[in-house]
Amino acid sequence: MDKSQEKSLLLWLKSHKKACGHYLSLSVLLGMLTGGALVVQAWLLATSLHGLIILHLPRSAFTAEFIALIGIIMFRALLAYGRERISFMAGQRLREQIREAVLTKLGELGPAFIKGKPAGSWASIVLEQVEDLHDFYAKYLPQMMLAGFIPLIILVIVFPINWAAGLMLALTAPLIPMFMILVGMGAADANRKNFTALSRLSGHFMDRLKGLSTIKLFYRGAAEEKAIEKASNEFRERTMSVLKMAFLSSAVLEFFAAVSIAVLAVYFGFSYLGHLDFGSYGTPVTLFTGFFVLILAPEFFQPLRDLGTHYHAKAQAIGAAEALQELLSFEVESQSIKSLPEADIAPALVNSGCEKVSGPVGVKIKNLVVTSFEGHQLLGPLSFELNAGEHMAIVGPSGAGKTTLLNALLGFLPYTGEIWINDVLLSEMDVAHWRKQLTWLGQDPQLFHGTVRDNVAMANPNLTDEAIVRLLTQAKVMDFVEQLALGIDHPIGEQSSGVSVGQAQRIALARALAQQAHLYLLDEPTASLDSQSEQAVLLSLSAAMQDKTSIMITHRLDQLQHKDQILVLDKGKLVQQGLFDVIAAKEGLFSDMLNEVMQPFTLSSEQEGKV
């Protein structure tokens, strides 16, 4: 990592310290009070020892000092406890805000962007990398301020007592941050590589775990074990490299602090023996001066040593911030649906004419070009019009751009051109209002951990049990739910465990029907179903889509006779468009695909005729 990038990431980290609120300032204040209490404690100890040993005063003469000393020790303990708690709260508030910003950004970018990385990589960013920002705000930033304040206060107090001791402290103090910087120069880069290795391991492991059945089916278990072992060893080596730097940094700091204190001790020792006679402004060095300075000396270096310890937190935070800054600063240059704060939604609906998109939906597309987030063209240019209440099918080979078109309509991919919803440009609409008009159903239904009721009522939490039963009945899945001991309270595990694919698809259909949407976007909703489940889902959809507009991606070309319009896509281009009978009669991709579908039935009929 070059210096300019490291500096940029450090500025980005510091720009977010406002999220810590007043807790950060309060943590610094408590640290300063702790420094002041240290000076008072050293003065009480040195005064008492000087009086008892040199002046031979009775112990009763120092009763007040002893009581004050006990009080100051307890006060320091309370300050230390309070500072730890407040520092933690500062880091906690920061983590909450950053994690909320990350999740909000991922929500804005949508699933098309999220699928660009393995799920384990996103888990690493949202969990581990956000967590690794904590110590930077809770410990490093407050310690940065204290490392300058406390040593300065001690120098101001020591110099009037003994200028030689103050000079020794002032000359040896810079050695610690200097060597701390030298040792920690590669720490940020090591942490960045460690996070990259962790992200790779997490993504690799989670993807293989999800595809475990397929791996076993194709006897790829041994090969995947080696791949996971390689990723694990890389992560282990990166982690050990980071720990090596952390231990080396601590050892260097302890060494120079110990050497500095030893130099002071030698100076006072030779002064008491009469071999040195300077530093006390022409007066002999007293026991009070020696004790006072030597008690303060470790505390003089302690903030610098603590800063060195927390310097690793800075390097760790810089390594974690790289992916976070890249994600949070990611901007899509092409048109997309506006995403406004909740307080601004109502004015946006009035100003953009979104009130016109509250009934039957018509879609008009002009010169649409859909791109990836990196700017690569995925689809287009294409133009078509779908009137309110009509049903459109989109067909084409895999990779033709069918799902890309739906993602653009959903607001998940950037585009150029015009998408009109009734008389309103999609780019001028509020994303929350627009998606309330939609029902999306894909080929891979996503059910969440919870009950059947929870999953159906996700779009409308106010649904009653009677409404949920009605929706499940409409989706042709109530017969299955009634057979369950808990009925609609039947638990569903992660990845739809506990139900079959067909049952999950129909529960997802019930959830979609609960939205009472005006436009249905269907991405091969029956692709994973058996014929009986497929017919049940199609019947439910046909009944639900009466007087509604729909766009369906499908490979079932034999079921398109009743569609009002068919689009045929190939390699991101619109190659054919029209009614089933019209485009089936013409030479082209659609007739070729139709012949491939019908060929097995034709051969079967010929064989039966020969028999």
Side-chain angles (χ1 to χ4, degrees):
M1 181 184 295
D2 57 62
K3 289 296 178 184
S4 60
Q5 184 183 8
E6 183 175 342
K7 185 177 180 181
S8 172
L9 291 173
L10 187 58
L11 289 174
W12 182 85
L13 287 168
K14 289 182 177 179
S15 68
H16 285 81
K17 67 180 182 181
K18 292 181 180 178
C20 300
H22 60 276
Y23 292 109
L24 196 60
S25 300
L26 192 55
S27 174
V28 174
L29 177 61
L30 291 179
M32 291 178 177
L33 290 175
T34 302
L38 285 171
V39 174
V40 174
Q41 179 180 319
W43 184 85
L44 290 171
L45 279 170
T47 301
S48 301
L49 291 171
H50 181 79
L52 291 170
I53 297 172
I54 302 300
L55 302 179
H56 303 290
L57 297 175
R59 285 179 292 179
S60 58
F62 297 98
T63 302
E65 282 80 356
F66 289 147
I67 294 173
L69 184 61
I70 294 173
I72 205 72
I73 291 173
M74 295 178 63
F75 181 59
R76 281 188 59 198
L78 288 175
L79 288 175
Y81 173 78
R83 187 183 166 211
E84 284 294 322
R85 291 292 302 168
I86 288 170
S87 296
F88 177 82
M89 293 172 72
Q92 183 183 39
R93 286 192 56 169
L94 183 282
R95 285 183 288 120
E96 288 174 353
Q97 188 177 87
I98 293 291
R99 185 169 285 120
E100 182 180 359
V102 168
L103 295 175
T104 301
K105 189 68 175 182
L106 291 177
E108 291 176 2
L109 296 173
F113 178 84
I114 294 172
K115 287 182 179 179
K117 285 185 179 181
S121 298
W122 293 120
S124 175
I125 290 175
V126 174
L127 298 176
E128 284 90 348
Q129 291 183 235
V130 173
E131 287 295 321
D132 283 326
L133 298 179
H134 176 87
D135 285 349
F136 178 81
Y137 296 93
K139 296 180 179 179
Y140 179 78
L141 283 183
Q143 196 61 40
M144 274 283 291
M145 302 176 195
L146 294 175
F149 174 78
I150 294 178
L152 183 61
I153 292 298
I154 292 177
L155 283 178
V156 169
I157 294 172
V158 169
F159 261 108
I161 299 173
N162 189 292
W163 62 264
L167 190 61
M168 290 178 192
L169 290 175
L171 291 176
T172 55
L175 292 175
I176 291 181
M178 182 179 71
F179 282 94
M180 178 178 68
I181 293 171
L182 290 175
V183 172
M185 283 179 65
D189 191 49
N191 274 282
R192 181 181 61 83
K193 292 178 180 178
N194 188 49
F195 283 123
T196 302
L198 176 60
S199 177
R200 188 180 299 117
L201 174 62
S202 300
H204 191 96
F205 182 75
M206 185 171 288
D207 285 350
R208 270 53 184 182
L209 192 63
K210 291 168 67 176
L212 193 59
S213 300
T214 305
I215 291 172
K216 287 184 176 180
L217 183 64
F218 287 92
Y219 300 101
R220 295 291 301 170
E224 293 303 327
E225 282 181 11
K226 292 180 179 178
I228 293 176
E229 182 182 7
K230 181 180 178 181
S232 300
N233 285 333
E234 181 186 1
F235 177 62
R236 176 181 57 79
E237 291 170 2
R238 300 292 186 193
T239 302
M240 293 306 297
S241 176
V242 172
L243 291 175
K244 180 175 67 176
M245 287 191 175
F247 286 126
L248 178 61
S249 176
S250 298
V252 169
L253 299 180
E254 292 295 333
F255 172 76
F256 282 103
V259 168
S260 301
I261 296 171
V263 170
L264 275 175
V266 169
Y267 162 73
F268 282 113
F270 277 99
S271 295
Y272 292 138
L273 292 173
H275 298 297
L276 296 176
D277 187 20
F278 64 89
S280 294
Y281 303 100
T283 60
V285 178
T286 64
L287 183 64
F288 169 82
T289 303
F291 268 119
F292 185 64
V293 174
L294 287 175
I295 291 172
L296 286 180
E299 306 301 339
F300 174 84
F301 292 106
Q302 189 61 45
L304 297 171
R305 292 157 68 186
D306 290 340
L307 180 62
T309 302
H310 301 323
Y311 188 82
H312 178 68
K314 173 194 170 184
Q316 191 175 38
I318 290 175
E322 184 177 21
L324 291 169
Q325 184 195 34
E326 181 182 357
L327 173 64
L328 294 175
S329 61
F330 188 90
E331 295 293 340
V332 182
E333 295 182 359
S334 303
Q335 296 183 54
S336 60
I337 308 176
K338 293 192 297 183
S339 180
L340 301 177
E342 187 174 352
D344 297 334
I345 287 178
L349 298 184
V350 175
N351 296 335
S352 65
C354 286
E355 68 277 0
K356 298 179 181 179
V357 190
S358 58
V361 171
V363 180
K364 184 190 297 183
I365 288 180
K366 294 181 180 180
N367 301 317
L368 177 69
V369 175
V370 185
T371 62
S372 67
F373 290 97
E374 293 76 22
H376 303 301
Q377 182 172 327
L378 304 175
L379 175 69
L382 59 86
S383 302
F384 64 86
E385 184 172 352
L386 180 65
N387 296 322
E390 290 186 346
H391 305 290
M392 172 185 285
I394 303 176
V395 299
S398 297
K402 304 183 295 295
T403 302
T404 298
L405 177 57
L406 292 195
N407 279 327
L409 288 170
L410 288 164
F412 293 145
L413 281 175
Y415 67 87
T416 58
E418 298 178 0
I419 300 179
W420 292 86
I421 307 300
N422 292 349
D423 297 325
V424 182
L425 273 172
L426 184 58
S427 58
E428 297 298 324
M429 293 176 58
D430 168 65
V431 63
H433 177 83
W434 166 236
R435 288 177 183 161
K436 287 179 181 178
Q437 317 304 317
L438 301 175
T439 284
W440 177 86
L441 191 63
Q443 55 184 303
D444 185 18
Q446 180 64 60
L447 298 186
F448 299 92
H449 180 77
T451 63
V452 174
R453 175 197 281 108
D454 295 334
N455 277 275
V456 175
M458 185 170 293
N460 185 1
N462 297 321
L463 285 176
T464 63
D465 288 356
E466 292 76 12
I468 291 174
V469 170
R470 185 168 60 252
L471 289 167
L472 291 169
T473 303
Q474 191 177 352
K476 311 297 183 185
V477 73
M478 193 59 204
D479 291 342
F480 160 72
V481 175
E482 286 178 338
Q483 296 173 6
L484 302 172
L486 298 176
I488 61 174
D489 291 316
H490 177 74
I492 296 176
E494 297 289 345
Q495 303 295 323
S496 304
S497 63
V499 295
S500 68
V501 176
Q503 292 158 353
Q505 187 71 292
R506 282 179 277 179
I507 292 173
L509 173 60
R511 179 175 62 200
L513 297 176
Q515 289 184 251
Q516 299 295 314
H518 301 287
L519 174 62
Y520 282 72
L521 299 178
L522 311 172
D523 189 355
E524 300 191 61
T526 62
S528 304
L529 305 181
D530 55 56
S531 58
Q532 184 177 357
S533 298
E534 179 184 16
Q535 291 303 316
V537 169
L538 288 176
L539 285 173
S540 300
L541 283 171
S542 297
M545 292 189 305
Q546 292 293 330
D547 302 323
K548 305 291 177 64
T549 311
S550 71
I551 300 176
M552 181 171 72
I553 296 174
T554 182
H555 282 99
R556 297 300 300 268
L557 305 185
D558 54 331
Q559 299 176 352
L560 304 182
Q561 290 87 344
H562 303 295
K563 294 295 180 182
D564 299 299
Q565 194 174 165
I566 299 173
L567 298 185
V568 185
L569 301 180
D570 186 26
K571 298 178 181 177
K573 305 292 184 181
L574 177 60
V575 295
Q576 287 182 287
Q577 180 179 1
L579 295 171
F580 179 89
D581 295 334
V582 175
I583 60 175
K586 296 179 180 180
E587 291 187 4
L589 179 60
F590 185 78
S591 61
D592 294 341
M593 295 172 61
L594 192 61
N595 289 334
E596 289 181 9
V597 172
M598 299 304 296
Q599 189 174 8
F601 298 100
T602 304
L603 291 175
S604 177
S605 300
E606 290 176 356
Q607 290 173 354
E608 289 179 2
K610 290 179 181 180
V611 172

